[in-house]
Amino acid sequence: MKRLCVGLIGYGTVGQGVVKILKSSRAVFRKKYGCDFHVKTIVDRIIHKKPTAELNARYSKRPADVLGDPDIDIVVELIGGKQPAKSIVESALASGKDVVTANKDLIANHGIELFALANRTGRHLYYESAVGAGIPIIKTISEGIAGNGFDAVYGIVNGTCNFILDEMTTKQCSFADALKDAQRKGYAESDPTLDVNGVDSAHKIAILANLAFGKLVRVRDVHTEGITHISATDIAFAEQMDLRIKLLAIAKKDGRSLDVRVHPTLISTRHSLASIHGIFNAVYLKADKLGNAMLSGEGAGQMSAASGVVSDLINCANAPAGPINANNPEQVKGLTLRGIDNIECKFYIRVQAKDEPGTLAQITTILGRAGIGINSVQQAVHEVAAFVPVILLTDYTTERTLRRALNAIQALSNIKGKPVAIRMETLW
Ligand code: HSE
């Protein structure tokens, strides 16, 4: 029986979930995995809820009580953010301890240095819950389908945004109302900025891209757009065309170039990602040997995140000694990142156009001159109004070309307001 001493730094919702699992499943872990976890020290600024006496842990406000304790084998970092989390993880690895973290910001921004340190010290650094909480996406990419190369990774990796878009679709309500509902139900943070502006998804796709493609992707390299500008009008028009808007985090390889981006994306309502509802997350992988595969589940919440952390603890217990870490991304040479201007996409465009002969011809002329093919055009015929919505679906074009054409369309005297453009992806 391997007895492993754990130091828990950060005792909020997820930390308490970890303790619950370690207590309730102790006998199972001993029998099934041959390991017995002893939580020796719990560190937090305030201990909100003392674990019961059975756990026999001591409490402290000082990370040094974990980091300087030679008995502790594994440090679980659950405080989040860059600092002091980074120093804590560095100090743990440097002093010969394995580390489990759920910190997406830390892994996305400093993973490369931390993995290098883990390799130098021969320790393990696990981070399953940094993406999709307990959904085993990190283990799937690094171990479950080891030996595969990837053409693309598409993720719905922010439950708050997925809930909001889902509410806007099913209840036909505004972004603001759906956000209030998410906050009432406790899904969104009280300050949900990082969720709705796409940054949380950017952290997660940077981690997945690094792992799947062996390319160092910094968060600043990820073109990031959130969902705050999405209107119920566009959701309704899209649904009429069997298209659904999802906030997708995308990493896609084309030859030797990789594009990594987060933005609202129209996908077919028949694709499996379109049926990911509410706060669920999903990652759809295009792997070169397995083929297409999708993992989905609860990507946030106490027990889901705690499940990922505990599975990492079991991995630490059973991992071979030495600097072999399947989840430490290898850096592949020769793969370059492609900027958003040069990415080719199909687009959904909506303009408010004056309902008079010739307007459509002017719009299509501008698109035609820009070399942008049109796959379909629709006008909301039931409206009796001076300006009516016209929806165009384009063929593939670059962002740069589309922007120029949209500026020219906006400048037409019979167009009102700024045209709406939403990227489309064909995922099959
Ligand atoms: N705030 C995230 C979400 C969960 O809404 O999915 C933690 O990564």
Side-chain angles (χ1 to χ4, degrees):
M1 183 70 53
K2 248 188 220 165
R3 190 168 191 274
L4 290 148
C5 209
V6 176
L8 193 58
I9 304 184
Y11 194 56
T13 311
V14 180
Q16 290 171 38
V18 170
V19 166
K20 272 187 208 165
I21 300 176
L22 291 181
K23 269 176 60 191
S24 64
S25 301
R26 187 172 179 202
V28 178
F29 294 164
R30 286 169 62 96
K31 191 166 168 215
K32 200 166 170 190
Y33 305 112
C35 51
D36 192 20
F37 295 105
H38 166 54
V39 180
K40 183 174 176 190
T41 308
I42 294 175
V43 174
D44 208 334
R45 279 176 303 183
I46 311 162
I47 299 291
H48 297 285
K49 187 175 162 230
K50 292 219 167 206
T52 63
E54 296 152 62
L55 195 66
N56 209 15
R58 67 174 170 154
Y59 310 100
S60 164
K61 292 186 176 173
R62 294 170 5 105
D65 288 340
V66 164
L67 300 169
D69 182 346
D71 287 351
I72 289 179
D73 304 293
I74 310 171
V75 173
V76 179
E77 181 278 303
L78 294 175
I79 51 180
K82 290 188 188 69
Q83 282 295 7
K86 180 167 179 270
S87 306
I88 287 171
V89 170
E90 283 169 341
S91 162
L93 291 170
S95 54
K97 301 178 192 311
D98 288 339
V99 173
V100 172
T101 178
N103 190 333
K104 58 209 158 186
D105 189 343
L106 182 67
I107 297 295
N109 283 295
H110 300 289
I112 209 78
E113 300 112 87
L114 297 175
F115 295 128
L117 176 59
N119 282 345
R120 281 201 302 280
T121 59
R123 301 319 310 172
H124 299 290
L125 172 57
Y126 286 103
Y127 53 99
E128 186 61 72
S129 289
V131 182
I135 305 168
I137 186 63
I138 303 297
K139 285 186 190 73
T140 298
I141 293 177
S142 55
E143 296 171 42
I145 52 172
N148 278 256
F150 295 90
D151 295 322
V153 176
Y154 296 97
I156 293 174
V157 285
N158 186 273
T160 304
C161 288
N162 201 53
F163 174 84
I164 290 172
L165 291 173
D166 210 28
E167 286 277 288
M168 290 174 74
T169 307
T170 51
K171 298 191 177 157
Q172 293 170 5
C173 62
S174 66
F175 169 80
D177 286 344
L179 174 59
K180 269 190 220 129
D181 203 10
Q183 284 173 313
R184 250 196 315 271
K185 291 195 159 95
Y187 300 151
E189 313 283 331
S190 49
D191 176 10
T193 318
L194 292 182
D195 292 314
V196 298
N197 69 8
V199 173
D200 177 78
S201 298
H203 285 143
K204 292 166 179 171
I205 196 66
I207 295 172
L208 294 181
N210 206 347
L211 191 61
F213 298 98
K215 174 72 190 166
L216 173 59
V217 178
R218 301 272 185 201
V219 178
R220 61 171 180 268
D221 298 328
V222 182
H223 174 84
T224 306
E225 292 172 28
I227 60 166
T228 51
H229 62 290
I230 295 297
S231 71
T233 308
D234 291 310
I235 288 179
F237 280 126
E239 289 285 324
Q240 283 169 22
M241 293 181 281
D242 293 325
L243 295 168
R244 187 155 298 153
I245 302 182
K246 292 286 184 191
L247 183 70
L248 286 197
I250 301 171
K252 202 157 108 175
K253 197 166 86 164
D254 181 9
R256 299 304 299 160
S257 76
L258 181 70
D259 67 78
V260 188
R261 49 200 157 102
V262 171
H263 52 70
T265 312
L266 283 159
I267 59 175
S268 164
T269 52
R270 289 187 299 280
H271 191 274
S272 26
L273 278 176
S275 39
I276 300 304
H277 296 296
I279 56 158
F280 268 53
N281 282 197
V283 179
Y284 187 79
L285 299 166
K286 288 173 101 73
D288 63 0
K289 297 176 186 70
L290 171 71
N292 299 343
M294 188 171 91
L295 273 88
S296 76
E298 290 185 36
Q302 182 184 47
M303 294 319 273
S304 173
S307 154
V309 170
V310 169
S311 124
D312 280 346
L313 283 171
I314 293 168
N315 267 13
C316 282
N318 293 331
I324 309 287
N325 283 273
N327 63 356
N328 291 10
E330 279 300 312
Q331 296 306 306
V332 173
K333 290 208 169 69
L335 198 57
T336 54
L337 284 174
R338 192 156 45 157
I340 193 75
D341 279 352
N342 299 317
I343 293 167
E344 292 213 328
C345 269
K346 292 183 177 183
F347 284 87
Y348 160 105
I349 300 171
R350 175 169 61 84
V351 292
Q352 286 295 109
K354 199 179 253 182
D355 195 9
E356 64 184 20
T359 304
L360 200 52
Q362 289 179 24
I363 297 170
T364 54
T365 301
I366 290 172
L367 292 173
R369 286 204 181 121
I372 301 173
I374 299 166
N375 288 342
S376 97
V377 183
Q378 266 193 46
Q379 181 181 315
V381 284
H382 56 280
E383 293 197 27
V384 180
F387 286 87
V388 291
V390 174
I391 318 294
L392 300 108
L393 301 185
T394 76
D395 205 340
Y396 284 101
T397 181
T398 61
E399 180 87 14
R400 184 186 282 132
T401 311
L402 186 91
R403 291 281 147 226
R404 277 201 207 117
L406 290 185
N407 287 341
I409 290 171
Q410 190 178 346
L412 292 172
S413 59
N414 41 11
I415 295 295
K416 194 166 75 173
K418 195 171 159 30
V420 171
I422 304 173
R423 294 177 192 83
M424 298 167 58
E425 284 285 325
T426 308
L427 304 177
W428 285 289

